[in-house]
């Protein structure tokens, strides 16, 4: 994936939100003041359209829009810097084909033995399970979606 980032194919990453809400949750809202804080909301009672908080306010540990971040390889060694251009929370299985492409799945797909014609979402799901365990995709956790653009000027942080 390091090469996919350097080549500009990987511009998005997903990380599991911790802790996951323990109550039924339908949506996450970002704080309107752009503080980088998020809160989960869910039905106030079964069948109700009224929403209530199902989590405390949390911040994305991977940065917020406009921030510079360091990108590291699997061993934790930084190899590039990037700017965060967007953060959102969604269910893992809400991944679209465009999202799978932005995750660098195409580069992974071409360098692996996956059968031709497998949808990019399926290729991403297989890779996710390799990384997080057999049932990791089926669990459909809430995930941070962090979109970034690599800086062309090396490793410096602002």
């Amino acid at each position: 994936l390091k090469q996919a980032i350097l080549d500009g194919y990987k511009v998005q990453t997903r990380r599991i939100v911790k802790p996951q809400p323990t109550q039924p949750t339908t949506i996450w809202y970002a704080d309107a003041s752009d503080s980088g804080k998020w809160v989960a909301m869910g039905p106030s009672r079964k069948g109700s359209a009224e929403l209530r908080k199902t989590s405390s306010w949390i911040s994305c540990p991977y940065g917020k829009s406009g921030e510079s971040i360091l990108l590291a390889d699997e061993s934790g060694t930084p190899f590039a810097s990037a700017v965060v251009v967007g953060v959102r929370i969604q269910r893992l299985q809400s991944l679209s084909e465009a999202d799978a492409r932005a995750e660098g799945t195409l580069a992974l797909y071409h360098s692996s033995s996956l059968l031709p014609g497998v949808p990019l979402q399926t290729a991403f799901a297989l890779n996710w399970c390799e990384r997080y365990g057999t049932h990791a995709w089926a669990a459909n956790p809430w995930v941070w979606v962090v979109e970034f653009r690599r800086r062309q000027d090396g490793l410096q942080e602002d």
Side-chain angles (χ1 to χ4, degrees):
L1 291 177
K2 175 181 175 179
Q3 197 56 51
I5 290 171
L6 293 174
D7 293 344
Y9 294 119
K10 181 169 174 64
V11 293
Q12 207 178 81
T13 192
R14 280 166 173 65
R15 297 289 185 270
I16 297 170
V17 170
K18 294 176 183 169
Q20 292 281 301
T22 54
Q23 312 204 350
T25 297
T26 50
I27 195 163
W28 286 78
Y29 286 108
D31 179 20
S33 71
D34 196 29
S35 67
K37 294 198 180 301
W38 294 76
V39 69
M41 303 290 283
S44 58
R45 60 190 177 284
K46 203 170 176 95
S48 169
E50 193 178 313
L51 294 178
R52 65 177 168 85
K53 279 176 42 174
T54 59
S55 77
S56 50
W57 288 92
I58 61 171
S59 296
C60 178
Y62 309 104
K64 67 180 197 175
S65 289
E67 284 184 349
S68 288
I69 57 172
L70 286 176
L71 304 175
D73 61 21
E74 285 77 19
S75 67
T77 306
F79 64 87
S81 66
V83 65
V84 175
V85 295
V87 174
R88 66 183 189 273
I89 298 176
Q90 69 179 52
R91 285 284 193 188
L92 178 61
Q93 293 178 14
S94 297
L95 175 100
S96 68
E97 181 159 348
D99 287 332
R101 192 176 302 276
E103 280 273 2
T105 306
L106 202 57
L108 188 78
Y109 181 80
H110 287 308
S111 66
S112 77
S113 58
L114 290 171
L115 295 172
V118 171
L120 285 180
Q121 292 101 319
T122 304
F124 178 87
L126 291 169
N127 187 50
W128 185 269
C129 289
E130 274 176 29
R131 187 174 189 183
Y132 293 105
T134 315
H135 303 292
W137 177 262
N140 198 21
W142 291 99
V143 292
W144 293 107
V145 180
V146 180
E147 295 181 63
F148 58 89
R149 296 298 173 264
R150 185 174 67 88
R151 292 185 184 275
Q152 300 301 320
D153 54 4
L155 273 179
Q156 60 268 19
E157 282 237 41
D158 296 337

